[in-house]
Amino acid sequence: MSKPKEIKPVIDSKHARIAVYSDPGVGKTRLAGTSPGRVLLLRPPTDHTDAMLPADKRRVEEWVVDDWDDMNNSLEYLRHEGEQYDWVWVDSFSLLQDHLLDDVWDTAVREKPARARYDVVQGEYGINMARLGRWLRHVVGPDLFNF
């Protein structure tokens, strides 16, 4: 029996994909700021870059993501223009997830105002997580930058 055409040699990615998870204040943002080359930092409006060194702050660009419109715009931008950056960081994914969930909830309440008496339910969490998963797959898939 011959080898199936689906079996192919392993090919290395051109870029690294890492996740750094730790307690607040240990230096994750500072680490992102020290990345070599051109750096883009995506962050929610409640996060901050105070921990970055002054020289890194002058070199790093940031995109403050307020809602899913911003997140979707960042996806399209990174898929088409992302190769101009050596590193793209999301700081902090957990805070960003909370802001994006607020956006999903606000949309649910606009569509059905009576829901404002209640709170977020599994449906909103599911929508938010599915969108985040899709965003992540489509951002790292093209292998245009270190993420």
Side-chain angles (χ1 to χ4, degrees):
M1 178 176 199
S2 63
K3 186 182 344 179
K5 65 178 177 157
E6 293 82 9
I7 298 176
K8 299 176 183 174
V10 175
I11 300 171
D12 289 338
S13 298
K14 293 184 261 178
H15 300 95
R17 294 166 190 89
I18 63 173
V20 179
Y21 177 83
S22 186
D23 293 328
V26 299
K28 299 178 297 292
T29 302
R30 184 173 283 195
L31 172 68
T34 62
S35 301
R38 298 156 303 174
V39 180
L40 176 63
L41 184 73
L42 282 86
R43 68 175 185 83
T46 56
D47 203 6
H48 53 84
T49 56
D50 297 345
M52 287 175 40
L53 299 171
D56 294 331
K57 285 182 183 179
R58 289 189 293 274
R59 186 179 52 79
V60 173
E61 295 180 322
E62 70 175 353
W63 185 328
V64 177
V65 177
D66 288 308
D67 54 26
W68 270 107
D69 287 337
D70 288 345
M71 197 67 168
N72 289 329
N73 288 337
S74 73
L75 168 65
E76 289 307 309
Y77 178 76
L78 291 172
R79 289 179 66 197
H80 298 286
E81 306 291 333
E83 72 278 349
Q84 68 179 299
Y85 293 100
D86 298 301
W87 284 91
V88 174
W89 291 88
V90 175
D91 186 28
S92 128
F93 230 109
S94 55
L95 282 176
L96 184 59
Q97 178 182 353
D98 289 344
H99 279 276
L100 296 172
L101 182 58
D102 288 345
D103 185 47
V104 171
W105 176 243
D106 291 345
T107 301
V109 170
R110 268 194 314 277
E111 291 175 357
K112 295 182 180 179
R115 292 205 53 210
R117 309 178 252 191
Y118 306 105
D119 205 349
V120 177
V121 295
Q122 285 181 323
E124 286 84 31
Y125 280 106
I127 290 167
N128 204 46
M129 293 308 293
R131 288 179 182 177
L132 283 169
R134 191 174 313 113
W135 184 92
L136 195 55
R137 286 190 308 276
H138 289 286
V139 163
V140 300
D143 198 15
L144 300 174
F145 43 79
N146 297 298
F147 183 83

